[in-house]
Amino acid sequence: MRRVIFGGSFDPPTLAHLDMGLKLAERFDQTIVVPAYISPFKKGGAELDGSERELLLKKLFDGNDKITVSDEEIAAGGTSYSYMTAQKLYNPDDELYIAIGSDGLASLDKWARTDILAKIVTFYVVERPYFKVKQAELDNARKIFKVEIAPFVGKEGSSSLLRVAVAFGKSAEVVPPVVVEYIRNRGLYLDYDYIVSRYPEFDMKKSRAEHIYRTTKAAILLAKLNNVSTDKAIKAALYHDIGKYVSREKLENLGIAWTNEIEELPESCRHQLTGAAIANKCFGETDSDVLAAIATHTTGAKNMSALQKVIFAADYIEEGRDFDGLDKIRELTYDNLDEGVIAILKNTIAYLEASGQEIAPVTREACEYMTLNKENTNGNNDR
Ligand SMILES: [Fe+2]
Ligand SMILES: [Fe+2]
């Protein structure tokens, strides 16, 4: 019998978890879903406690006799190590697998008691969108473990994505109906509601709010791919266009001065500075990196931080945009953020030149600076 352990925090169970559970059940005789115990002392711990996550998972997979939800780790409490769970579920007559996402492949050698795991399990790697399996990582993992690659790709889903979806009233895009209802009744995952619920005060248009939602989704992905704080990326993305429809008069009523810096930018770019000022003045946002990311999202800048690049790029490649060449830029950006940003800067300059629009000097500077930097870095690598 082939059995697979599908572990995770499942806080909460998402549509991506549901999809993966069902796909595993098509390929294994038994899929054992094991929600992890999460310590209440852990920073950024679970919103749902163990029994709630277990209950929701049971409802989700109810009626599929090839899927079992195990309370093994939740009942044990404390830190649950996979080798302990695997030992308990191990049976010498069966083949035991542990399913992991492709983003976990690189750190497989850091798991506790690799010696025990290597003897009793095979890792079953499910590729996640944009997290391609890298041959070097696979080769390294195979030095220690048996590793198989699943013949299907997983779906994108995370609690960060859910928190953003909840703020836009779109939780059904991320979690199954039973979870939508549960978290709504309990008023959970409302972390970013304080920003989105105030959009009307700043005359936000519905279509613009949709663009912000899509930009935030792209920003979460780029943040994860580039080790940037998802919380900061979400905040910067949610604020990025908040200045778009705020007049000079209204701004001054809010106590925000119309500076020379604002005046000197092309009109279509001014909202990057007014937006940063609104985030600071009206929402109390004080994180300098978040504010800088809002303040450079249309023009770019020299020496951008990773967060600034994430927001600059996410705004440009969000899934709702569609024009010639964008698919290529999108792919490039998810693959290598710097190269993506350079391509976006070049494209922006070419577009503005062709349509006779004003180009902010800082955009040309950013493009030259980043291109030069890239050449230098490449030169160093050659030596
Ligand atoms: Fe913008
Ligand atoms: Fe935007």
Side-chain angles (χ1 to χ4, degrees), residues 208 211-212 215 240-241 271 297 315 321:
R208 178 64 48 176
H211 155 72
I212 294 177
T215 300
H240 89 279
D241 275 344
H271 72 282
H297 83 263
D315 188 28
R321 294 197 198 269

Side-chain angles (χ1 to χ4, degrees), residues 241-258:
D241 275 344
I242 199 140
K244 193 87 184 173
Y245 307 107
V246 181
S247 65
R248 177 172 177 171
E249 188 191 358
K250 181 161 180 165
L251 211 62
E252 283 168 348
N253 286 340
L254 292 169
I256 296 168
W258 189 265

Side-chain angles (χ1 to χ4, degrees), residues 100-111 114 123 125-126 131-145 147 149 227:
I100 61 163
S102 46
D103 51 326
L105 189 58
S107 55
L108 217 48
D109 58 342
K110 310 277 189 313
W111 286 34
T114 50
F123 284 95
V125 180
V126 177
F131 290 84
K132 292 212 175 83
V133 171
K134 294 188 182 120
Q135 193 58 45
E137 290 176 0
L138 185 58
D139 292 344
N140 273 338
R142 281 190 168 146
K143 283 178 193 157
I144 315 175
F145 303 112
V147 182
I149 307 289
N227 288 322

